[in-house]
Amino acid sequence: MKRTLTTIDGNEAVAYVAYRLSEVIAIYPITPSSPMGEWSDTWSSSGENNIWGTVPSVIELQSEGGAAGVVHGALQTGSLTTTFTASQGLMLMIPNMYKIAGELTPMVMHVAARSLAAQGLSIFGDHSDVMAARATGFGMLSSASVQEAMDFALISQAATLESRIPFVHFFDGFRTSHEVSKVELLTEDDLRAMIDLDLIYAHRLRGLSPDHPVIRGTAQNPDVYFQARETVNPFYAACPETVQRAMDKFAKLTGRSYQLYEYHGAPDAERVIVLMGSGAEAVHETVDYLCGQGEKVGVVKVRLYRPFDTRRFMEAFPSTTKAIAVLDRTKEPGSAGEPLYQDSITTFFEGVANGWGSIKSIPKIVGGRYGLSSNEFTPAMVRAVYNNLALESPKNHFTIGINDDLSHTSLDFDGEFSTEPESVVRALFYGLGADGTVGANKNSIKIIGENTDNYAQGYFVYDSKKSGAITISHLRFGPEPIRSTYLISRANFVACHQPGFLERYDMLGELVQGGTFLLNSPYAREEVWDRLPRKVQEQLIERKAKFYVINATNVAGESGMGNRINTVMQVCFFALSGVLPKDEAIAEIKYSIKKSYSSKGDEIVAMNVQAVDNTLAHLYQVDIPSAPTSNIEMPPAVSEHAPEFVRNVLGKMIEQKGDQLPVSVLPCDGTYPSGTAKWEKRNLALEIPVWDQDVCIQCGKCAMVCPHSVIRIKVYDPKHLEGAPETFRSCEAKDREWHGQKYTIQVAPEDCTGCGVCVDICPAKNKSQTRLKAINMMPQPPIREQESENWDFYLTIPETDRRLLKVNNIRQQQLQEPLFEFSGACSGCGETPYIKLITQLFGDRTVIANATGCSSIYGGNLPTTPYTKNADGRGPAWANSLFEDNAEFGLGFRVSMDKQRDFAGQLLVKMAGVIGLELVEQIRHADQKDEAGIYDQRERVATLKSKLAGIDSDDARQLLSLADMLVRKSVWIVGGDGWAYDIGFGGLDHVLASGRNVNVLVLDTEVYSNTGGQMSKATPRGAVAKFAAGGKPAPKKDLGLIAMTYGSIYVARVAMGARDEHTLKAFIEAEAFDGPSIIIAYSHCIAHGINMTTGMQNQKAAVDSGQWLLYRYHPDRSAHGENPLQLDSRSAKIPVEQYMYMENRFKMLTKSNPDEARRLLAAAQQDVQDRWHYYEYLAARKMGGAQNEQDKSV
Amino acid sequence: MDLSTKYMGLNLRTPLVVSASPLSENLDNIRKMEDAGASGVVIYSLFEEQITSDRLELHHHMTYGTDSYAEALTYFPEPSEFHLGPEGYLNHIRKAKEAVKMPVIASLNGTSAGGWTNYAKEMQQAGADALELNIYYIPTDVDLTGAQVEQTYLDILSMVREVVTIPVAIKLSPFFSSLANVARRLDQGGADGLVFFNRFYQPDISLEHLEVRPNIILSTPQALRLPMRWIAILHGRIKASLAATSGIHTAQDVLKIMMVGADAAMLCSVLYRHGIDHIKNMEREIETWMSEHEYHSIRQMQGSMSQENCSDPSEFERAQYVKALHSFKPATAHS
């Protein structure tokens, strides 16, 4: 049968099969598996059937634990059920996995295998997660490529139904889940042929039903639990044969043959590598190359890891095998070896004794670790592993791919070694997230894959920053199947889509001799060569490169495409690479433009087609002179003034050379210095704000809303202006209390992302030109140098004494130094201004527990991090535990620090005689309500510490180590709505109920922003989100109202863009309240589909429409007989429609489902009215005493 | 009493037609209009520019921020189809046709040649009885000549005429150097009706906020003078039907506009002020006036006061303005 060839990624390939074989799909987003759930939801909401003609039910849960529960329940009632997950998600499923396996329930769970959070979180691929689930009793089937992932999704489903052993089908996160590859699409007939309906009926019959009731999940006693546990053995014993049978049946259907343990290599191989996952492909490719060189090497690819079929495993090896290296993509610290290695050792010990297979004596077997967190695994590394095996005493427990100069586990490898055949076109594209490079490359792969006999592969490397993110696309095309599961290091085509990258990244290091370099450059033909950095010129000359240039930005702009240069650069690639005849390629590009965009309207198609037509006339070749002419040097990644660790370690990461760092330079416990973001000058902004002191009214709003803390304000004695650069701006401070002082607003020009939120919020207008304000965007390059000098000078001016500031007044409060700066958050982020505010108000005495999500990524993703410290060395201490436990994690801080403070107090009393009663009493009874009180206490503690330093006793030493806890500390628990409303809600509820003095900040973006906009319980009615493609039908959960029911929790709902002074007041009150507090902060977000420059206007509209109420619930007011709830916003001024249709998340429903949009809009408007009446009633109730009249009337 | 008129070949029970406005976005309103006695309705305008900008906006938001960050390669689900064309408008026409018996006139504002012709054709297919071309733009380009602007009107008309068979009206701007000439050329170019006049949105500025702000104002009865004059001038000189659409607030206004030669009196602001039901009152008052003044039909009075037929044709010309100036006595500073 002829099957369709298509180009898709691993996630889609798996979801394609899993969806068609399921009745119930329970999901929860987690990278890199989220797209499988998203595909399922999309298909389900558009009514696509499974192979039995019914649409699977797709349901999103509040956590992976919840998803596993639903899976278990659905299985127990007889439905064909699946789920998709990874990493921490899989960890949360483990308890149910034991149950599901213990009950012999067939299912397949598809896992995009990913690292687990240990010393640091990583979203990238390895087998740490699946290996942690290997004891659950689930079968484990590993696929190594996109095609295998699709095939094994089917084979595992067939096998689970027959064997009754549930399966984890896993494949490497990102490397396989996100690799785009040309595959043969299985047909629905293939799926039907593989699945035995009788087995489905049997599964259904085992399901719980009151029509044939049974009891399952009993509690068992010591007398029988053990025996009952052994009852499953025959099922596990039979399972491998079942899987192999399914593979054989599959081979007959499709011609693709798989073995549980598949050998590839020389029939007389002496050195064999054992491994599973995508790395097996790289080994396969290397084996072919080395065998071609006459080497006797081979590879055993492990497909079925559980149940481990020891006999078949032994039988896979050639009898000539002398040395084996077992490679694990995981680490088990303190173990005798990693899991696959240990399994192999055990198997050989038992197998040789039993005479299984053809090997008669136990060969040398060593184990090694590779590829953790998508670390590269290349043919060069594979050869090093074979070379190790050739040694008399091969290194055991080795690592490959890194330089372990600490424990000396690593094998050396020759980075120059390559097995890539010349017949493969290897192309590298350096783009910006916003320019559409990745999308165009995915499209090119599709065009080549589906219109030629070539095999095609695309892999995409993304930035860890969310603003100004670089993307690197690795594309391969060739006549043979592509097994290169590693990045391109020898490219014959390199394209630089952003001219700014020339000075930042060494892109030509990967270009082969005679290769082609394509550059998007704004400079004229005669100028372009001289504008290149000298190093780039030297590389082009040395490589004898062909150099082509286009001003793609102009061509795109003239075609109406704005900064999306994707189509233009795609045309250039086809014109230069010759993968397809030029005319044919252009026709295909146009065809695919029509296919992709016709649903979005003729205009979109037309402008893309116009861009295609306009391109070639502007593409030209530049002759390369024989000698370099440029004096432009590539600047160092970080300043030479940066601390050594930043220069030598973080700087390497910034240069994209972090994988060259040796083990010894990295912290052993995941602890990193704070205040490092300031060293990474990213120069993202094309335009930056410039202050106009003559127009400014000194309100401080621009600094308050700045998401990246690049706008700073100082008031200072005029004497500090001495030595100021000529262009440094200052004026008289307007506040009466600052009479005679100077006032400056300064922008950090190289850290600004150019979002423009400051300009949007500025209330002052230039009276002569009303389009100008007191702060205006201006092109950055011409003023970069001058403003950098001004910024450096600004930093030398002392900060204003915090004790002198009125913190409840924004104008003065904004003088407080932010201790959170220059984060990698999206340009115009709606969350970061709130975090910055915490650090300004309380940062020098704050510990932050941060839930996993956007705020943990921009808050803690290497290389550089934004939390910083003041001149005294104080600043927020920050940590991220998990997604689900953040409230508890923060409560732990509180309990611990309170205990230490109490113990210090005890010791103080005990040592009063030695320390001096007066100081002890002063410290114990200090009033630390304001900055002055805290300052004084710090002084006292300093005195105490100096006294203690001279005392030789255990008590003194104990107290010395605890003394700092005598100064008031603030605990902030920060996270998004996914955490607070969903996965962490149970814990959050408990922590709030604990009565302990913790402050919770919920950055409510109303979706899971970090994983790409999935619905949470905070998502408002009518919003389109992933898993709510048809608009969320249910209203938003009212978290604040739930918290208020305790009566003892400070609760505030704020929106900075609506009322900044209210936000400020709420933060101060929450922190001051001696008990738990929660602030729910409206955070506009890129996932709302809004103009991020005017996000604060969206906040205002949300409040003005009544969609987002502002209030403060202060338990202390009850004590005075007042109503604790103060409603701080008025009844709606504008219809909710006016707010909602400012945002694509609501508006797009009017385009995708107009009738439903109308219905949900009406319901949302009703919600607004009902909510207002309810809160109005709550806020109006008279408190204390007998029930009042108003209460009676309700 | 015969109140009927003929507008672009459509038989109207009375001259009272509801002009294009957001009132007709709601099907119930359209039913109410007929119930109140309206003889026809021009449905709110389909703006091609709006459709285009919605498409571009959607495309922008669907792609903005995508493929940048590994954990969030997209931010929205991609529905299998979007309703981004005029389907909603065309459905509305279809439903309006099903709901009422009176003529339903579609109104179109295009921005491209394809937009004018395709949408016009689709409106006819959806059942519209006639089409009103709402050629609504402010020529701000200092290089654009008046002749070019006029030619644009003619070109649009001719393109649309080629693709539809239903009557086509043009809603005009009053800002032509020679309106009469433009009217005649449009008439010759195949316009079945001319509508006087398009009321342009007039921005205001806020002194408090130093911002230009939209400030939609309803028409006043004084606005009737402009269409009244031009209908008076053009009556009898061109074949196309004539309709007035600004400042018709009372039965007297309707009578006046009929007398100068209009075939339809289009109502909008008055219905916002007094409700759709007010059409009934206007009709009753017209009948009363006609009865009191012994008119038996509207046709009898149509054009009776046009420039051609009135006793002093020069009253409708420039000199009349000079006279008015002379008779106007400004108030004294302290009065």
Side-chain angles (χ1 to χ4, degrees), chain B residues 8-9 130-131 133 153-170 181-194 238-241:
Chain B
M8 299 197 290
L131 196 55
L133 302 183
Y153 274 65
L154 289 161
D155 290 346
I156 291 169
L157 173 63
S158 116
M159 280 188 302
V160 173
R161 264 281 50 124
E162 271 180 40
V163 295
V164 297
T165 52
I166 52 175
V168 175
I170 300 237
N181 175 260
V182 170
R184 195 179 66 187
R185 285 159 67 202
L186 289 169
D187 182 41
Q188 289 167 346
D192 300 292
L194 298 177
I238 59 172
K239 291 199 304 288
S241 296

Side-chain angles (χ1 to χ4, degrees), chain B residues 169-185:
Chain B
I170 300 237
K171 198 166 185 177
L172 284 167
S173 147
F175 308 116
F176 286 101
S177 302
S178 174
L179 187 62
N181 175 260
V182 170
R184 195 179 66 187
R185 285 159 67 202

Side-chain angles (χ1 to χ4, degrees), chain A residues 889-909:
Chain A
F889 186 49
L891 179 63
F893 293 174
R894 182 81 272 167
V895 175
S896 152
M897 293 196 299
D898 284 357
K899 180 65 242 168
Q900 291 179 31
R901 182 203 58 203
D902 293 349
F903 186 25
Q906 252 177 278
L907 290 166
L908 267 179
V909 173

Side-chain angles (χ1 to χ4, degrees), chain A residues 705-736:
Chain A
V705 298
C706 176
H708 292 82
S709 314
V710 303
I711 300 181
R712 304 289 178 91
I713 307 175
K714 277 181 184 169
V715 171
Y716 49 91
D717 190 294
K719 71 179 181 199
H720 293 300
L721 279 176
E722 200 175 314
E726 223 169 87
T727 54
F728 188 79
R729 292 176 172 84
S730 68
C731 64
E732 298 301 321
K734 289 187 199 281
D735 194 309
R736 268 181 301 184

Side-chain angles (χ1 to χ4, degrees), chain A residues 67-289:
Chain A
V70 167
V71 165
H72 190 192
L75 289 167
Q76 282 304 331
T77 41
S79 287
L80 295 170
T81 308
T82 193
T83 186
F84 314 105
T85 195
S87 192
Q88 314 299 134
L90 186 62
M91 298 301 97
L92 292 178
M93 292 189 176
I94 284 177
N96 257 306
M97 291 171 75
Y98 276 93
K99 290 289 299 175
I100 292 165
E103 293 158 349
L104 288 175
T105 323
M107 76 160 292
V108 180
M109 172 187 296
H110 302 273
V111 177
R114 166 184 155 179
S115 310
L116 292 175
Q119 86 286 352
L121 167 152
S122 166
I123 59 168
F124 295 101
D126 65 35
H127 301 161
S128 309
D129 52 1
V130 287
M131 284 305 179
R134 71 183 191 275
T136 57
F138 265 58
M140 295 172 76
L141 194 62
S142 163
S143 51
S145 66
V146 177
Q147 182 73 65
E148 281 188 22
M150 175 180 279
D151 295 350
F152 288 10
L154 174 56
I155 288 167
S156 54
Q157 182 68 25
T160 191
L161 283 168
E162 189 175 341
S163 67
R164 294 187 60 188
I165 307 287
F167 270 79
V168 165
H169 162 230
F170 70 96
F171 44 97
D172 290 351
F174 282 104
R175 184 71 252 177
T176 305
S177 68
H178 283 61
E179 178 183 302
V180 179
S181 179
K182 181 170 174 175
V183 299
E184 191 179 89
L185 201 63
L186 294 171
T187 65
E188 295 207 348
D189 285 342
D190 291 334
L191 271 55
R192 270 187 278 271
M194 285 292 291
I195 304 297
D196 183 342
L197 278 173
D198 287 338
L199 295 172
I200 295 175
Y201 305 147
H203 168 61
R204 238 171 244 157
L205 197 61
R206 288 190 295 269
L208 296 172
S209 165
D211 294 322
H212 44 84
V214 292
I215 304 299
R216 204 171 278 145
T218 54
Q220 302 181 349
N221 299 319
D223 55 348
V224 298
Y225 178 92
F226 189 174
Q227 301 92 302
R229 201 79 184 94
E230 298 299 324
T231 56
V232 298
N233 295 353
F235 292 88
Y236 284 87
C239 182
E241 176 58 30
T242 306
V243 180
Q244 187 59 59
R245 261 205 315 276
M247 286 177 164
D248 294 344
K249 188 175 178 184
F250 182 87
K252 276 192 193 141
L253 265 178
T254 66
R256 283 191 296 282
S257 169
Y258 298 109
Q259 303 299 314
L260 302 186
Y261 308 97
E262 193 166 307
Y263 178 77
H264 176 77
D268 56 349
E270 295 176 353
R271 289 167 289 152
V272 177
I273 289 177
V274 177
L275 81 170
M276 54 188 165
S278 65
E281 293 289 283
V283 180
H284 184 123
E285 178 182 300
T286 316
V287 163
D288 286 347
Y289 181 89

